[in-house]
Amino acid sequence: MSEPVFPLAGKSVWVAGHRGMVGSALVRRLQSEKCSVLTASRDDADLVRQEDVENWMNANRPQVVFLAAAKVGGIHANNTYPAQFLYENLMIEANIIHAAFKAGVEKLVFLGSTCIYPKLAPQPIPEEALLTGSLEPTNEWYAIAKIAGIKLCQAYRRQHGSDFIAAQPTNLYGPGDNYDLATSHVLPALLRKAHEAKVSGAKTLSVWGSGTPLREFLHVDDLADAVVFLAKHYSGDRHINVGSGEEVSIRELAEAVCQVVGFEGELEFDASKPDGTPRKLADVSRLTQLGWQSARSLEEGLESTYRELGSDNGLPDFQQR
Ligand code: GDP
């Protein structure tokens, strides 16, 4: 591994959004970086309010910012609260990025999402696919805000020379995930359903759709490792995809989940539920060329995620497993 172009040791580092799944993984990962980690509670600063953010930044003077704060949610939430998704995400990014520039922050890493890419982007999706076609309509509010965040980083770099970079993670899972079956993504949903099926002695497990769609999954601790790697080793105006580079079908995912949980019944595919996009895989060759690759297999990630689930995870009968 090459020497970091931007060592974090000795720096004061703000993780904005430290209570979220990504932010809390970053706080865990930064424990081994010999830097001091700053966090702001909602009482300290409402990130949607510019004055709050500027006051907090002036009082705390971080040298590095990881911008993991965002209003997030699944397809249903995105569709139902479009104004909130667009407004809150735009405000959070604009406030933090501008305040970071004004305070002379040395490095900022903005976290986006691969939903910034056009609905019909080529697969695997290269970074260049950005703004080449129409977005998936159900999450365009969130995607437009995240695209604006990437553009803010590029604009402050171009106009002011700020070392602000942007990373776009693929589908994430791990500690702090959402296990509410109505709003969760497929991986936590299947973990919960398989667990509950095992506990209740059910014979079948319901999987939405046909099982044929292909998806890529990255453990959030691997994302945090990649993001810290990028902070230390990358400086440039091109945003960088972060993924595992491996895809599985939903059927294969369901089988792997059943294996880990120890559910031995049959899978039952529910054709009344949508498949969604047939394939969603990030092209991670740029990240790989920079020198980072995910080390954890999906099976290992599922094992540790299932093992670490605690009583606050939304699995009501967790104690029985
Ligand atoms: P997407 O990646 O944006 O499509 O979001 P999801 O993670 O919600 O869904 C991915 C795929 O998993 C879709 O084809 C779903 O139909 C399928 N799937 C299978 N079972 C479930 C489930 O119990 N919950 C969810 N959310 N998706 C499921």
Side-chain angles (χ1 to χ4, degrees):
M1 179 64 55
S2 59
E3 284 297 304
V5 291
F6 185 85
L8 290 174
K11 304 275 186 200
S12 156
V13 180
W14 179 26
V15 178
H18 69 285
R19 290 169 57 89
M21 182 179 174
V22 171
S24 50
L26 277 166
V27 171
R28 286 195 295 279
R29 173 61 184 80
L30 288 167
Q31 303 307 318
S32 51
E33 285 299 319
K34 299 191 178 76
C35 58
S36 63
V37 176
L38 301 173
T39 57
S41 71
R42 192 173 281 258
D43 288 341
D44 297 330
D46 178 350
L47 302 180
V48 172
R49 319 295 313 169
Q50 184 178 32
E51 201 183 346
D52 279 18
V53 174
E54 294 195 342
N55 288 343
W56 190 89
M57 195 76 92
N58 286 335
N60 292 279
R61 311 299 298 182
Q63 294 158 295
V64 181
V65 176
F66 287 95
L67 208 179
K71 166 106 187 133
V72 297
I75 182 168
H76 178 70
N78 255 273
N79 251 339
T80 316
Y81 308 109
Q84 253 176 297
F85 272 81
L86 187 53
Y87 171 75
E88 290 186 21
N89 285 312
L90 284 173
M91 294 305 285
I92 291 168
E93 290 154 22
N95 289 342
I96 294 179
I97 291 172
H98 187 66
F101 156 65
K102 287 217 302 192
V105 164
E106 297 164 26
K107 186 110 195 182
L108 178 144
V109 187
F110 171 69
L111 273 297
S113 156
T114 48
C115 76
I116 57 165
Y117 293 116
K119 185 180 167 74
L120 302 176
Q123 303 285 333
I125 312 172
E127 286 88 351
E128 291 74 20
L130 184 65
L131 293 173
T132 56
S134 302
L135 298 166
E136 157 62 39
T138 50
N139 63 18
E140 69 177 342
W141 318 100
Y142 179 77
I144 292 275
K146 288 293 178 186
I147 293 169
I150 296 174
K151 290 292 161 190
L152 278 168
C153 292
Q154 291 174 346
Y156 279 79
R157 175 179 292 277
R158 187 169 301 185
Q159 189 176 336
H160 301 296
S162 308
D163 191 0
F164 296 173
I165 62 173
Q168 313 307 311
T170 189
N171 299 356
L172 300 171
Y173 69 98
D177 210 342
N178 170 17
Y179 287 87
D180 173 357
L181 292 181
T183 55
S184 66
H185 286 282
V186 58
L187 191 151
L190 290 178
L191 264 181
R192 178 176 181 162
K193 290 200 284 194
H195 170 73
E196 292 180 348
K198 185 181 100 170
V199 169
S200 70
K203 300 227 166 357
T204 59
L205 171 68
S206 169
V207 181
W208 293 0
S210 64
T212 58
L214 298 166
R215 293 289 185 275
E216 176 189 21
F217 299 96
L218 183 69
H219 192 283
V220 71
D221 286 337
D222 288 342
L223 169 76
D225 192 56
V227 167
V228 167
F229 171 86
L230 286 171
K232 288 160 59 173
H233 294 273
Y234 177 68
S235 176
D237 73 344
R238 300 159 109 196
H239 61 282
I240 306 286
N241 287 343
V242 183
S244 62
E246 277 175 44
E247 58 185 347
V248 289
S249 70
I250 298 301
R251 175 191 285 274
E252 288 165 337
L253 174 70
E255 287 167 353
V257 166
C258 290
Q259 176 91 29
V260 163
V261 171
F263 172 69
E264 290 174 349
E266 296 291 311
L267 299 179
E268 209 171 62
F269 292 91
D270 177 358
S272 73
K273 293 286 196 303
D275 266 347
T277 186
R279 192 177 179 202
K280 196 160 62 176
L281 176 67
D283 180 345
V284 289
S285 45
R286 194 174 282 164
L287 179 62
T288 311
Q289 278 158 21
L290 286 166
W292 190 91
Q293 228 170 339
S294 110
R296 185 185 328 234
S297 70
L298 180 61
E299 283 70 20
E300 287 167 330
L302 286 172
E303 288 273 1
S304 64
T305 303
Y306 187 54
R307 207 174 41 238
E308 288 160 12
L309 280 171
S311 53
D312 59 348
N313 59 33
L315 292 182
D317 53 357
F318 172 75
Q319 298 303 333
Q320 296 177 41
R321 102 173 138 92

